[in-house]
Amino acid sequence: MSTHHPAPAPVGGKLLNRVTLVCGLLVAAMAAILLVRMFKGLGYVTHLNDGYAWGLWVVVDVMVGSALACGGFSVALLVYIFNRGRYHPLVRPALLGSLFGYTLAGAGIFFDLGRWWNFWHIFWPGYVNPNSVMFEVAACVTAYILVMWIEFSPVALEKFGLHVAKQKLEKFLFVFIALGVLLPMMHQSSLGTMLVIMGSQVHPLWQTPLQGAVYLLSAIVLGWAVVLFESCVAAAGYRRSIEVHLLDPLAKVMLGVLALYLALRVGDLMWRGVLGLAFEPTWAAMWFWFENLAFLAPYALIRTVQQRRNPANLFLAGICVMVGGSLIRLNGYLITFNSGPGFHYFPALTEILVTAGFFAIEVLGYIVITRRFPVLPREEPAAA
């Protein structure tokens, strides 16, 4: 049975405001730092060392950033794989967030390469290493970025009145939609697999042969959490009515998959006999509980239908899952990572500014495109 959905339309309004101004300043600071980095090297603007070759830029901008950009993938799973057409109005805004997140994650990898001028070696036949998990991640992420730009191109074609071209593209769009579901499943699981090959440097609470499944499930849940967060922020920022009729069942699905993730996580710890480490008075145990309490919080916030109809609860639940999903990656790759004696790492101010700049680009781009392109469902502005 077909369901009628309001056609997407530009939100309209001024592009210059306090939010875009702050974002612009952060982007300018980021650009200046990266310009210095290109000529002076990573050591000039970061606190990286031989023990911590991957710092804030890789872990946050790539590992965490790509996971937070799984909204398009997670919504596509519901709409196109499980045939839940009622969620279709969420596809374009979720895809837009994913598009920016992954594109910037790819850019982040480029700037973190020590010899960035050799980046083309990744795909050159004479240098490529098909047995490397890092090659698989690079190939899948690159392909997924291209796929998402193609998936999102009907928005631009619609904006500029190229309806014939849009109709021709839509005949083949199912191929790119299928790739848009497959590719994230491959590289998100591989991002977890990279921890496995790091051996004892990774704390036992985060070192598991099931890391691929753990990362994939958490990425799917994170994608839905970001949709909850973005929908609430967009409704408040643009003074629109929030789509509770869509977010309520979406949140329920998220809780179900989150329960599956937690069962896998706890079951794995028990199976490996390391669950007791979570109850020791250690730095790692403290961060373990921060991570998992964030994952458990949504069950107190949106467990019932009445709770899920409260936009504030949906917003907070989305933030909690985003925090938990970010921490599992930060904990494994950075916070509890053990490089051996003599090595310490804390990000430099320049690293923090670059990371803030990347997120500022996402916010700025989201505002510009939703105001000028048909992304969000058409709606008259609601009262403040």
Side-chain angles (χ1 to χ4, degrees):
M1 181 180 295
S2 61
T3 304
H4 174 73
H5 301 297
V11 175
K14 296 180 179 180
L15 296 179
L16 185 60
N17 53 50
R18 285 176 294 180
V19 175
T20 56
L21 180 60
V22 171
C23 288
L25 292 173
L26 288 172
V27 172
M30 177 198 72
I33 295 168
L34 290 178
L35 183 64
V36 173
R37 175 266 174 276
M38 301 302 281
F39 291 98
K40 294 289 188 177
L42 283 168
Y44 201 83
V45 295
T46 73
H47 285 167
L48 298 177
N49 53 59
D50 290 343
Y52 289 90
W54 286 358
L56 194 68
W57 291 358
V58 169
V59 179
V60 174
D61 300 349
V62 180
M63 309 300 180
V64 175
S66 65
L68 292 175
C70 280
F73 158 58
S74 297
V75 173
L77 276 177
L78 288 178
V79 175
Y80 301 113
I81 303 302
F82 295 104
N83 198 29
R84 297 295 187 263
R86 61 178 172 178
Y87 297 113
H88 200 273
L90 301 175
V91 170
R92 283 191 177 183
L95 181 60
L96 177 60
S98 296
L99 184 62
F100 276 113
Y102 267 98
T103 302
L104 292 171
I109 294 174
F110 174 78
F111 288 114
D112 199 79
L113 293 174
R115 299 179 179 179
W116 55 266
W117 53 89
N118 288 332
F119 76 94
W120 53 275
H121 287 183
I122 297 172
F123 303 110
W124 194 254
Y127 294 96
V128 69
N129 180 8
N131 296 318
S132 169
V133 66
M134 294 183 70
F135 169 74
E136 191 270 345
V137 170
C140 283
V141 169
T142 302
Y144 186 47
I145 291 171
L146 294 174
V147 165
M148 281 193 294
W149 278 104
I150 295 172
E151 281 187 271
F152 196 73
S153 61
V155 176
L157 296 175
E158 187 178 318
K159 165 68 176 179
F160 297 112
L162 303 174
H163 300 294
V164 175
K166 179 187 173 186
Q167 291 174 356
K168 291 182 178 180
L169 175 62
E170 286 178 341
K171 293 180 181 179
F172 305 97
L173 205 57
F174 70 93
V175 176
F176 299 101
I177 291 172
L179 287 172
V181 172
L182 174 64
L183 291 171
M185 295 179 70
M186 296 171 65
H187 64 251
Q188 285 297 334
S189 59
S190 294
L191 288 174
T193 303
M194 285 198 293
L195 279 178
V196 177
I197 62 178
M198 294 179 185
S200 59
Q201 290 181 305
V202 179
H203 192 279
L205 289 173
W206 291 274
Q207 180 58 286
T208 168
L210 299 179
Q211 200 68 266
V214 169
Y215 265 55
L216 177 58
L217 275 177
S218 65
I220 293 172
V221 174
L222 262 174
W224 291 324
V226 171
V227 170
L228 295 179
F229 173 80
E230 286 182 349
S231 298
C232 293
V233 172
Y238 293 149
R239 298 185 178 184
R240 297 161 55 91
S241 59
I242 192 167
E243 299 164 317
V244 175
H245 66 289
L246 294 177
L247 301 184
D248 173 5
L250 179 69
K252 186 176 181 180
V253 172
M254 184 186 77
L255 289 179
V257 179
L258 180 57
L260 179 62
Y261 161 80
L262 290 171
L264 175 65
R265 186 86 166 91
V266 175
D268 168 69
L269 293 172
M270 295 176 64
W271 174 62
R272 291 187 293 115
V274 297
L275 184 60
L277 296 178
F279 298 94
E280 295 181 355
T282 62
W283 175 259
M286 180 186 72
W287 283 103
F288 173 86
W289 285 109
F290 283 158
E291 170 194 318
N292 287 283
L293 287 175
F295 277 130
L296 290 169
Y299 291 99
L301 291 167
I302 55 172
R303 183 180 67 259
T304 66
V305 174
Q306 185 177 2
Q307 288 175 317
R308 291 194 297 272
R309 289 176 180 172
N310 185 335
N313 288 344
L314 294 171
F315 175 75
L316 291 173
I319 289 180
C320 288
V321 174
M322 290 165 63
V323 169
S326 300
L327 280 178
I328 190 175
R329 289 155 174 82
L330 284 167
N331 286 334
Y333 275 103
L334 199 59
I335 295 175
T336 67
F337 190 77
N338 180 19
S339 288
F343 294 109
H344 304 281
Y345 170 79
F346 188 83
L349 177 60
T350 47
E351 293 179 79
I352 296 171
L353 286 174
V354 167
T355 296
F358 272 110
F359 283 102
I361 292 177
E362 293 188 50
V363 175
L364 188 60
Y366 189 92
I367 292 173
V368 171
I369 292 182
T370 52
R371 285 192 181 276
R372 295 295 180 262
F373 287 79
V375 175
L376 299 175
R378 183 184 303 274
E379 181 183 78
E380 294 298 325

